[in-house]
Amino acid sequence: MNSDLNKLYMIEKTQKNHTPIVEVTHLTSGYEDFRVLDDISIFAPEHQITIILGASGCGKTTLLKHLIRLIQPWSGSIRLFGHEITSLDEPEFNTILKDIGVMFQNGALLGSLSVAENVSIPMEQHTSLKEDMIRKLVEIKLDLVGLRHAIDLSPSELSGGMRKRAALARAIALDPPLLFGDEPSAGLDPVTSAGLDELILKMREQLGMTVVLVSHEVASINRIADHVVFLDEGKVLFCGPLKEAKTAGIQKVDDFFAKG
C-alpha cells in the first residue's frame, strides 16, 4: 500500500470499535514460480462485514484460501484472533478452526446426505453432544435461515438459493465468531441474492460475527459491506470503509463501482 493507505490502516486499527480480528501483513504468495499476491497488508475489523473485491484473477480467492490455511504463503504474517496461524501446528490450528465458519462458492453440500445431516457435520466432529440434541440444534440453525421445512430433503431437491442458505446454516453450526465466504451470491438471481444478503446481515447482528467475503457483485457489496479490500493484480489498492473507497479517487476502484 502507499503511505496514505498505510496511515489509514494504522488509524483504523487503533480505533476502539475497529479491532482487527483478521490481520495480514506483507503477505507474498503464488503457485510454483508464479506470484499471485505481492506484499499484501490488510485487516478486517471485528463485528464488521469486510468484502475482498477486484477484477477476475486479481487474487481474491487465493487470499481467502490463505486465511483458512489451505495455502501457505511464501512470506508474511496472517493473524486470526491475534494468533499467527502460519506457524501453528495442526492441533493448534484446528482449535482455531472451531471458531471459524466457511461458506464455499457452490455450497459444497454433500449430495449423499440430507440437509440436516450436512448441517450436523461440524457438531458431530467438534462436540460430544448426543444425537437428539444435535437434531434440535440443527432445527434451530435451519430456522434461522428459513429452511426448517427442508430439514430432511437432499441437496438435489433444493433451489440454488436454498443450497446457499443450507451452506450458511452449516457454516454457523457452532456459532463461530468469524465467518468466511467465497462468492456467496454467485449464480443467484437478483431477488435471491438480495435475500441472501439480508440473511448474512441478520446473522452478523444476531450472532455478533465478523464476516469476510470474496465478491465481485457490486449490488451485493453496496448492500452489506462495512469495509472493503480492493485487490488489483495481486496488490492492495484500497483497504478501509466502503464509503471512503468510493471517494478515494482511485480510478480502478471508481470504475469497478460504476458497473453497479
Side-chain angles (χ1 to χ4, degrees), residues 116-144:
E117 290 168 331
N118 269 280
V119 176
S120 70
I121 290 172
M123 302 177 194
E124 293 172 348
Q125 291 184 337
H126 299 297
T127 76
S128 57
L129 295 172
K130 294 182 178 179
E131 186 176 339
D132 59 340
M133 179 57 69
I134 289 177
R135 177 75 178 193
K136 289 178 182 178
L137 290 173
V138 167
E139 291 173 355
I140 291 171
K141 300 306 178 185
L142 289 173
D143 267 335
L144 283 173

Side-chain angles (χ1 to χ4, degrees), residues 48-173:
Q48 294 194 17
I49 297 177
T50 294
I51 306 291
I52 303 170
L53 58 140
S56 178
C58 69
K60 302 186 297 291
T61 297
T62 298
L63 176 56
L64 184 66
K65 287 180 178 179
H66 279 84
L67 297 179
I68 53 178
R69 216 166 80 160
L70 292 179
I71 305 174
Q72 283 283 8
W74 293 352
S75 62
S77 168
I78 304 171
R79 300 181 70 84
L80 303 181
F81 308 107
H83 298 283
E84 177 58 56
I85 67 168
T86 61
S87 59
L88 295 178
D89 60 28
E90 284 303 313
E92 291 171 328
F93 183 62
N94 287 337
T95 298
I96 290 179
L97 277 179
K98 293 177 184 178
D99 288 331
I100 298 172
V102 181
M103 284 184 68
F104 296 98
Q105 186 169 138
N106 296 312
L109 299 175
L110 299 179
S112 61
L113 303 180
S114 69
V115 170
E117 290 168 331
N118 269 280
V119 176
S120 70
I121 290 172
M123 302 177 194
E124 293 172 348
Q125 291 184 337
H126 299 297
T127 76
S128 57
L129 295 172
K130 294 182 178 179
E131 186 176 339
D132 59 340
M133 179 57 69
I134 289 177
R135 177 75 178 193
K136 289 178 182 178
L137 290 173
V138 167
E139 291 173 355
I140 291 171
K141 300 306 178 185
L142 289 173
D143 267 335
L144 283 173
V145 301
L147 281 184
R148 175 64 180 83
H149 64 286
I151 189 168
D152 292 317
L153 297 182
S154 67
S156 64
E157 296 176 284
L158 305 181
S159 68
M162 291 170 71
R163 284 194 293 272
K164 300 278 189 174
R165 287 172 176 260
L168 178 57
R170 184 179 60 188
I172 64 170

Side-chain angles (χ1 to χ4, degrees), residues 6-67:
N6 269 313
K7 182 178 180 181
L8 172 64
Y9 171 74
M10 295 308 296
I11 290 173
E12 287 224 23
K13 277 179 61 178
T14 56
Q15 289 179 346
K16 182 178 180 181
N17 295 321
H18 292 263
T19 304
I21 197 168
V22 176
E23 188 171 9
V24 176
T25 309
H26 300 303
L27 176 68
T28 296
S29 184
Y31 303 98
E32 296 182 353
D33 295 328
F34 181 70
R35 181 173 300 197
V36 177
L37 300 175
D38 187 5
D39 197 26
I40 295 288
S41 292
I42 64 102
F43 67 104
E46 192 171 8
H47 303 313
Q48 294 194 17
I49 297 177
T50 294
I51 306 291
I52 303 170
L53 58 140
S56 178
C58 69
K60 302 186 297 291
T61 297
T62 298
L63 176 56
L64 184 66
K65 287 180 178 179
H66 279 84
L67 297 179

